[in-house]
Amino acid sequence: MNTTDILINELLHLLNGGNAHVDLDRALKGLPANLRGVKPDKLPYSIWQLVEHIRIAQWDMLEFSKDGSHESPNWPDDYWPKETAPKSDEAWEKSIKQIELDRAEFIDLIKTGDLFSKIPYGDGQTILREVLQAADHEAYHVAEIVMIRRLLGAW
């Protein structure tokens, strides 16, 4: 195994929530539907808002990595949903499914793309940097989901 293969394997572990932190699936497993939109006292977000934020940000990083004509949403307003709860169980499931699909596409990009070359239409970003940023971003917000669940007595 060469060093690039080792790096790819570690990135796959990181994107899939491995090693030192809980992954999104585990953080959401068994969450009662009535708690998805609860915003604990003095906290700025509900679990739904965090899930949607993860989805939107990951999608943006992925699309930027693939497409020079991609236009990012306006920061920060378009990265955070206004509604605290999903409109339906279907909206909840659709958001989670999109996170999984985009993560799988990032994984394909890792396996087939050049991790180290600068993205031609960026300002110094590489696929490696985008993947690390996406994984770090998700891990940060998954920790917030776990904390909210603890505050709600649902962890």
Side-chain angles (χ1 to χ4, degrees):
M1 213 183 235
N2 65 37
T3 53
T4 301
D5 292 336
I6 293 168
L7 177 60
I8 288 170
N9 283 334
E10 290 303 320
L11 291 171
L12 296 177
H13 283 292
L14 185 62
L15 275 177
N16 288 314
N19 303 337
H21 56 273
V22 172
D23 65 18
L24 183 62
D25 292 340
R26 173 114 166 50
L28 297 176
K29 186 177 182 177
L31 176 68
N34 66 320
L35 297 181
R36 293 172 183 163
V38 175
K39 208 163 67 166
D41 188 39
K42 298 184 182 175
L43 290 183
Y45 314 116
S46 68
I47 291 173
W48 165 247
Q49 289 170 307
L50 289 165
V51 167
E52 268 294 271
H53 175 68
I54 290 168
R55 181 191 64 76
I56 294 164
Q58 179 182 261
W59 165 82
D60 183 39
M61 288 178 257
L62 174 63
E63 291 304 312
F64 169 78
S65 298
K66 304 182 322 183
D67 181 3
S69 64
H70 170 69
E71 291 188 33
S72 293
N74 292 319
W75 175 258
D77 295 337
D78 295 341
Y79 285 80
W80 290 97
K82 305 291 184 260
E83 62 280 351
T84 59
K87 292 180 179 160
S88 64
D89 289 340
E90 292 78 24
W92 174 260
E93 293 300 326
K94 183 178 178 184
S95 184
I96 293 168
K97 184 66 175 172
Q98 192 61 54
I99 291 169
E100 293 168 355
L101 291 170
D102 288 345
R103 184 184 307 121
E105 199 168 343
F106 247 136
I107 288 169
D108 288 342
L109 201 56
I110 291 168
K111 291 179 178 178
T112 61
D114 179 353
L115 294 176
F116 307 106
S117 293
K118 290 182 179 173
I119 296 171
Y121 42 84
D123 58 5
Q125 298 93 332
T126 63
I127 299 298
L128 176 60
R129 177 178 162 190
E130 293 302 305
V131 168
L132 289 171
Q133 180 175 274
D136 180 58
H137 181 262
E138 183 173 321
Y140 176 85
H141 290 302
V142 166
E144 291 180 311
I145 290 169
V146 171
M147 182 59 64
I148 291 174
R149 287 192 66 170
R150 285 182 175 168
L151 290 170
L152 297 175
W155 183 250

